[in-house]
Amino acid sequence: MRITIATLLGGLVMFLWGAFAHMVLPIGEMSVRAPLNEDKVLAALHENLPNEHAIFLLPYFDMAKHDDPKAVEAFSAKAKSSPNAFIVYAPYGRDPMQMGYNLFHQWLSDTLAALLIVLILIRSTINTLRGLYVGLAFGVFAWLSLSVPYWNWYRFPAAFTFGTLIEQAFGWLLAGAVMGWWLGRGVKQGFASR
């Protein structure tokens, strides 16, 4: 029961922090901007992208042509002189104001991640400070393994990448501290009753 409650508390803390970071603070929207003419951009996407939910990179290079020096040279020249885009495209609409589906999946994701941290914490001396350190480590790990590669390879803006560091590191620091506190209550000689 102690593990279950710690997991639920950690997931809830991270979920609430994420909501605060996106709805009150500008962290989740750092570098997010509106296009100059949204209707034209949407029409161009509809007319020029396949009717499938996919990721599109512009300019695009077909890796099957990697051994063709002329194709590589032509792509390099185009990439140097063209804008760059990473497009997550869904050809169908959905009302983003109807967030029930997304909120449930975010809570579930946060809670499953919290469970991983709890499983690490129960194998160590449990206290609030240890939870804080482990939570922070997980937050920075998540950022280094996902957000930094997106910045590096797909040219995500530095401000957006830094915002994800704040969101992940601080959120998991808070959640880790709460989980460590909960697990460490009444612990004798470093062992928690489960």
Side-chain angles (χ1 to χ4, degrees), residues 79-101:
K80 288 177 189 175
S81 63
S82 300
N84 177 75
F86 180 98
I87 302 168
V88 179
Y89 181 69
Y92 47 84
R94 184 168 78 188
D95 184 356
M97 297 300 135
Q98 302 298 317
M99 293 185 260
Y101 175 89

Side-chain angles (χ1 to χ4, degrees), residues 46-117:
H46 181 70
E47 292 169 11
N48 295 290
L49 293 178
N51 192 26
E52 64 178 304
H53 190 180
I55 295 172
F56 297 91
L57 303 175
L58 299 173
Y60 178 76
F61 181 70
D62 184 355
M63 293 304 286
K65 298 179 181 178
H66 198 273
D67 293 333
D68 180 353
K70 288 185 180 183
V72 170
E73 185 178 334
F75 173 75
S76 292
K78 184 177 186 179
K80 288 177 189 175
S81 63
S82 300
N84 177 75
F86 180 98
I87 302 168
V88 179
Y89 181 69
Y92 47 84
R94 184 168 78 188
D95 184 356
M97 297 300 135
Q98 302 298 317
M99 293 185 260
Y101 175 89
N102 301 92
L103 290 172
F104 171 76
H105 286 95
Q106 185 62 53
W107 170 81
L108 182 62
S109 172
D110 291 338
T111 302
L112 291 174
L115 175 61
L116 295 176
I117 295 173

Side-chain angles (χ1 to χ4, degrees), residues 119-153:
L119 293 176
I120 298 295
L121 286 173
I122 62 172
R123 300 292 178 225
S124 64
T125 304
I126 305 169
N127 58 44
T128 304
L129 193 58
R130 176 65 55 98
L132 185 143
Y133 290 145
V134 172
L136 177 62
F138 267 78
V140 172
F141 174 83
W143 178 75
L144 287 171
S145 62
L146 186 62
S147 296
V148 171
Y150 279 12
W151 164 80
N152 180 42
W153 292 102

